[in-house]
Amino acid sequence: MRYYLGVDVGSISAKAVVIDTDSTVVAYCYKRTQGNPVTAIKEVLSDVQSKIPGEATIHACGTTGSARMLAGAMVGADVVKNEILAHAVAVGHLHPEAKSVIEIGGQDSKLILLQNSVPVDFAMNTVCAAGTGSFLDHQAIRLGVPIEQFGDLALKSKNSIHIASRCTVFAESDMIHKTQLGVERNDIIGGLCNAIARNYLNTVAKGKNLNPKVLFQGGVAANTGVKKAFERALGVELIVPEHFLVMGALGAALLASRSKKQQSFIGFSNCIDQKFESRGFECEDCPNLCEIVEACREEKVVARYGSRCGKWG
């Protein structure tokens, strides 16, 4: 039976999804990259391989995410697309009636607006990570609370506390100040969840109309406190899709299944066992001084990317 593989590699996590010819998810995996995306990609591939039949054939593969070029070079991808398109395709497949998508990952926040499952507008956060998963992780560690319990504790908040939402430095300083004043921990966590939603709506979604049906996906969608904060601010219920952690990888797999170019995938064993590394240099042929990345398999260059002019593409 034919299967299709999607791989999504971001700044914090790597995800892989395998779908069948009916576009049904048959295996998926989510892992933190721990600063080593090559190892993380091998681990998610090994995991999904163990969950599908041994005789299964990956007919096509797609990659997405901020490290999509690296992942594409590693696996021999047929399709390499940006995460906006990948997420939109996955949403169109699972929730074709959705018009707005809030996606908050490790260090990225995105808003995608759809009409008839086609992305017509989008926005992303810029340099500040105040409204992202990595900031929540950092605050959970500082407060001594497992991140998995963050949302439930926020819902137990009895008093509305304002936490600065403009940037990570102001937010953390405000939380420390509130702690020193003796404010209850649950109220601080609740205030932080409200700040995450407020920051997103005042920056990423500034000037945009979020029409229902609104989907909430990405790692932060698991936080019920942030979900509730968005629902209070928007006045609508947010839908968290079944595969909210791996929607980008699902979209990449769907794009691969629809691609005319197929069968470039080098195989699970070759991906997992290969000696793969990347190295970089600065191109000095013009004032752009582009940082070029060379992806090497078994010490042979298999891909170059990073040039604005396409010389090294």
Side-chain angles (χ1 to χ4, degrees), residues 195-212:
I196 295 289
R198 193 168 61 248
N199 174 279
Y200 180 96
L201 295 173
N202 290 335
T203 55
V204 180
K206 186 177 182 180
K208 311 288 187 184
N209 293 321
L210 277 69
N211 297 315

PDB file of all heavy atoms in Angstrom, residues 195-212:
ATOM      1  N   ALA A 195      -2.016  37.490  28.907  1.00  0.00           N
ATOM      2  CA  ALA A 195      -1.012  38.320  28.240  1.00  0.00           C
ATOM      3  C   ALA A 195      -0.585  37.706  26.904  1.00  0.00           C
ATOM      4  O   ALA A 195      -0.348  38.420  25.930  1.00  0.00           O
ATOM      5  CB  ALA A 195       0.204  38.507  29.150  1.00  0.00           C
ATOM      6  N   ILE A 196      -0.493  36.354  26.871  1.00  0.00           N
ATOM      7  CA  ILE A 196      -0.131  35.669  25.624  1.00  0.00           C
ATOM      8  C   ILE A 196      -1.168  35.980  24.545  1.00  0.00           C
ATOM      9  O   ILE A 196      -0.834  36.337  23.405  1.00  0.00           O
ATOM     10  CB  ILE A 196      -0.056  34.144  25.854  1.00  0.00           C
ATOM     11  CG1 ILE A 196       1.077  33.797  26.822  1.00  0.00           C
ATOM     12  CG2 ILE A 196       0.106  33.417  24.514  1.00  0.00           C
ATOM     13  CD1 ILE A 196       2.452  33.966  26.300  1.00  0.00           C
ATOM     14  N   ALA A 197      -2.452  35.847  24.903  1.00  0.00           N
ATOM     15  CA  ALA A 197      -3.524  36.113  23.935  1.00  0.00           C
ATOM     16  C   ALA A 197      -3.536  37.587  23.536  1.00  0.00           C
ATOM     17  O   ALA A 197      -3.685  37.929  22.352  1.00  0.00           O
ATOM     18  CB  ALA A 197      -4.870  35.706  24.535  1.00  0.00           C
ATOM     19  N   ARG A 198      -3.361  38.477  24.515  1.00  0.00           N
ATOM     20  CA  ARG A 198      -3.384  39.922  24.231  1.00  0.00           C
ATOM     21  C   ARG A 198      -2.219  40.318  23.319  1.00  0.00           C
ATOM     22  O   ARG A 198      -2.386  41.104  22.384  1.00  0.00           O
ATOM     23  CB  ARG A 198      -3.321  40.685  25.553  1.00  0.00           C
ATOM     24  CG  ARG A 198      -3.643  42.156  25.439  1.00  0.00           C
ATOM     25  CD  ARG A 198      -3.858  42.787  26.809  1.00  0.00           C
ATOM     26  NE  ARG A 198      -2.691  42.697  27.664  1.00  0.00           N
ATOM     27  CZ  ARG A 198      -2.613  41.947  28.762  1.00  0.00           C
ATOM     28  NH1 ARG A 198      -3.653  41.236  29.149  1.00  0.00           N
ATOM     29  NH2 ARG A 198      -1.513  41.921  29.495  1.00  0.00           N
ATOM     30  N   ASN A 199      -1.043  39.774  23.599  1.00  0.00           N
ATOM     31  CA  ASN A 199       0.128  40.070  22.771  1.00  0.00           C
ATOM     32  C   ASN A 199      -0.111  39.640  21.327  1.00  0.00           C
ATOM     33  O   ASN A 199       0.178  40.380  20.379  1.00  0.00           O
ATOM     34  CB  ASN A 199       1.353  39.355  23.343  1.00  0.00           C
ATOM     35  CG  ASN A 199       2.586  39.506  22.452  1.00  0.00           C
ATOM     36  OD1 ASN A 199       2.733  38.794  21.462  1.00  0.00           O
ATOM     37  ND2 ASN A 199       3.460  40.422  22.798  1.00  0.00           N
ATOM     38  N   TYR A 200      -0.656  38.433  21.158  1.00  0.00           N
ATOM     39  CA  TYR A 200      -0.923  37.908  19.806  1.00  0.00           C
ATOM     40  C   TYR A 200      -1.912  38.807  19.061  1.00  0.00           C
ATOM     41  O   TYR A 200      -1.683  39.187  17.904  1.00  0.00           O
ATOM     42  CB  TYR A 200      -1.469  36.478  19.914  1.00  0.00           C
ATOM     43  CG  TYR A 200      -1.778  35.831  18.584  1.00  0.00           C
ATOM     44  CD1 TYR A 200      -0.850  34.998  17.963  1.00  0.00           C
ATOM     45  CD2 TYR A 200      -3.000  36.039  17.949  1.00  0.00           C
ATOM     46  CE1 TYR A 200      -1.129  34.397  16.750  1.00  0.00           C
ATOM     47  CE2 TYR A 200      -3.283  35.448  16.729  1.00  0.00           C
ATOM     48  CZ  TYR A 200      -2.345  34.632  16.142  1.00  0.00           C
ATOM     49  OH  TYR A 200      -2.637  34.031  14.926  1.00  0.00           O
ATOM     50  N   LEU A 201      -3.006  39.162  19.733  1.00  0.00           N
ATOM     51  CA  LEU A 201      -4.057  39.936  19.062  1.00  0.00           C
ATOM     52  C   LEU A 201      -3.594  41.364  18.756  1.00  0.00           C
ATOM     53  O   LEU A 201      -4.065  41.976  17.791  1.00  0.00           O
ATOM     54  CB  LEU A 201      -5.316  39.952  19.920  1.00  0.00           C
ATOM     55  CG  LEU A 201      -5.977  38.572  20.119  1.00  0.00           C
ATOM     56  CD1 LEU A 201      -7.119  38.658  21.112  1.00  0.00           C
ATOM     57  CD2 LEU A 201      -6.470  38.014  18.786  1.00  0.00           C
ATOM     58  N   ASN A 202      -2.676  41.894  19.574  1.00  0.00           N
ATOM     59  CA  ASN A 202      -2.200  43.277  19.364  1.00  0.00           C
ATOM     60  C   ASN A 202      -0.995  43.370  18.436  1.00  0.00           C
ATOM     61  O   ASN A 202      -0.595  44.481  18.064  1.00  0.00           O
ATOM     62  CB  ASN A 202      -1.847  43.923  20.710  1.00  0.00           C
ATOM     63  CG  ASN A 202      -3.076  44.199  21.558  1.00  0.00           C
ATOM     64  OD1 ASN A 202      -4.180  44.360  21.020  1.00  0.00           O
ATOM     65  ND2 ASN A 202      -2.900  44.240  22.861  1.00  0.00           N
ATOM     66  N   THR A 203      -0.413  42.249  18.096  1.00  0.00           N
ATOM     67  CA  THR A 203       0.765  42.267  17.223  1.00  0.00           C
ATOM     68  C   THR A 203       0.513  41.447  15.953  1.00  0.00           C
ATOM     69  O   THR A 203       0.303  42.004  14.880  1.00  0.00           O
ATOM     70  CB  THR A 203       2.011  41.738  17.954  1.00  0.00           C
ATOM     71  OG1 THR A 203       1.726  40.424  18.477  1.00  0.00           O
ATOM     72  CG2 THR A 203       2.405  42.653  19.104  1.00  0.00           C
ATOM     73  N   VAL A 204       0.499  40.129  16.093  1.00  0.00           N
ATOM     74  CA  VAL A 204       0.326  39.261  14.913  1.00  0.00           C
ATOM     75  C   VAL A 204      -1.002  39.537  14.207  1.00  0.00           C
ATOM     76  O   VAL A 204      -1.060  39.641  12.981  1.00  0.00           O
ATOM     77  CB  VAL A 204       0.414  37.774  15.323  1.00  0.00           C
ATOM     78  CG1 VAL A 204       0.227  36.877  14.100  1.00  0.00           C
ATOM     79  CG2 VAL A 204       1.744  37.483  15.983  1.00  0.00           C
ATOM     80  N   ALA A 205      -2.083  39.668  14.985  1.00  0.00           N
ATOM     81  CA  ALA A 205      -3.417  39.812  14.396  1.00  0.00           C
ATOM     82  C   ALA A 205      -3.871  41.268  14.294  1.00  0.00           C
ATOM     83  O   ALA A 205      -5.041  41.525  13.994  1.00  0.00           O
ATOM     84  CB  ALA A 205      -4.432  39.019  15.230  1.00  0.00           C
ATOM     85  N   LYS A 206      -2.957  42.197  14.507  1.00  0.00           N
ATOM     86  CA  LYS A 206      -3.332  43.618  14.475  1.00  0.00           C
ATOM     87  C   LYS A 206      -3.909  44.008  13.107  1.00  0.00           C
ATOM     88  O   LYS A 206      -3.287  43.768  12.071  1.00  0.00           O
ATOM     89  CB  LYS A 206      -2.109  44.486  14.781  1.00  0.00           C
ATOM     90  CG  LYS A 206      -2.435  45.960  14.902  1.00  0.00           C
ATOM     91  CD  LYS A 206      -1.188  46.753  15.273  1.00  0.00           C
ATOM     92  CE  LYS A 206      -1.525  48.235  15.444  1.00  0.00           C
ATOM     93  NZ  LYS A 206      -0.308  49.026  15.808  1.00  0.00           N
ATOM     94  N   GLY A 207      -5.108  44.577  13.123  1.00  0.00           N
ATOM     95  CA  GLY A 207      -5.737  45.020  11.876  1.00  0.00           C
ATOM     96  C   GLY A 207      -6.411  43.918  11.086  1.00  0.00           C
ATOM     97  O   GLY A 207      -6.915  44.165   9.987  1.00  0.00           O
ATOM     98  N   LYS A 208      -6.414  42.684  11.624  1.00  0.00           N
ATOM     99  CA  LYS A 208      -7.030  41.555  10.913  1.00  0.00           C
ATOM    100  C   LYS A 208      -8.385  41.206  11.535  1.00  0.00           C
ATOM    101  O   LYS A 208      -8.579  41.381  12.740  1.00  0.00           O
ATOM    102  CB  LYS A 208      -6.124  40.319  10.987  1.00  0.00           C
ATOM    103  CG  LYS A 208      -4.668  40.566  10.610  1.00  0.00           C
ATOM    104  CD  LYS A 208      -4.490  40.796   9.136  1.00  0.00           C
ATOM    105  CE  LYS A 208      -3.004  40.865   8.783  1.00  0.00           C
ATOM    106  NZ  LYS A 208      -2.782  41.180   7.349  1.00  0.00           N
ATOM    107  N   ASN A 209      -9.290  40.703  10.729  1.00  0.00           N
ATOM    108  CA  ASN A 209     -10.577  40.216  11.214  1.00  0.00           C
ATOM    109  C   ASN A 209     -10.535  38.700  11.316  1.00  0.00           C
ATOM    110  O   ASN A 209     -10.368  38.008  10.304  1.00  0.00           O
ATOM    111  CB  ASN A 209     -11.701  40.632  10.270  1.00  0.00           C
ATOM    112  CG  ASN A 209     -11.917  42.132  10.265  1.00  0.00           C
ATOM    113  OD1 ASN A 209     -11.847  42.787  11.311  1.00  0.00           O
ATOM    114  ND2 ASN A 209     -12.164  42.699   9.095  1.00  0.00           N
ATOM    115  N   LEU A 210     -10.668  38.209  12.563  1.00  0.00           N
ATOM    116  CA  LEU A 210     -10.667  36.765  12.783  1.00  0.00           C
ATOM    117  C   LEU A 210     -12.108  36.266  12.797  1.00  0.00           C
ATOM    118  O   LEU A 210     -12.788  36.289  13.819  1.00  0.00           O
ATOM    119  CB  LEU A 210      -9.980  36.409  14.108  1.00  0.00           C
ATOM    120  CG  LEU A 210      -8.455  36.321  14.091  1.00  0.00           C
ATOM    121  CD1 LEU A 210      -7.833  37.688  13.884  1.00  0.00           C
ATOM    122  CD2 LEU A 210      -7.937  35.693  15.365  1.00  0.00           C
ATOM    123  N   ASN A 211     -12.564  35.829  11.637  1.00  0.00           N
ATOM    124  CA  ASN A 211     -13.932  35.356  11.526  1.00  0.00           C
ATOM    125  C   ASN A 211     -14.023  33.880  11.879  1.00  0.00           C
ATOM    126  O   ASN A 211     -13.106  33.101  11.580  1.00  0.00           O
ATOM    127  CB  ASN A 211     -14.443  35.572  10.091  1.00  0.00           C
ATOM    128  CG  ASN A 211     -14.493  37.050   9.724  1.00  0.00           C
ATOM    129  OD1 ASN A 211     -14.961  37.870  10.501  1.00  0.00           O
ATOM    130  ND2 ASN A 211     -14.010  37.401   8.536  1.00  0.00           N
ATOM    131  N   PRO A 212     -15.124  33.455  12.533  1.00  0.00           N
ATOM    132  CA  PRO A 212     -15.289  32.026  12.826  1.00  0.00           C
ATOM    133  C   PRO A 212     -15.599  31.264  11.522  1.00  0.00           C
ATOM    134  O   PRO A 212     -16.115  31.864  10.581  1.00  0.00           O
ATOM    135  CB  PRO A 212     -16.478  32.007  13.795  1.00  0.00           C
ATOM    136  CG  PRO A 212     -17.184  33.305  13.581  1.00  0.00           C
ATOM    137  CD  PRO A 212     -16.217  34.282  13.025  1.00  0.00           C
TER     138      PRO A 212
END
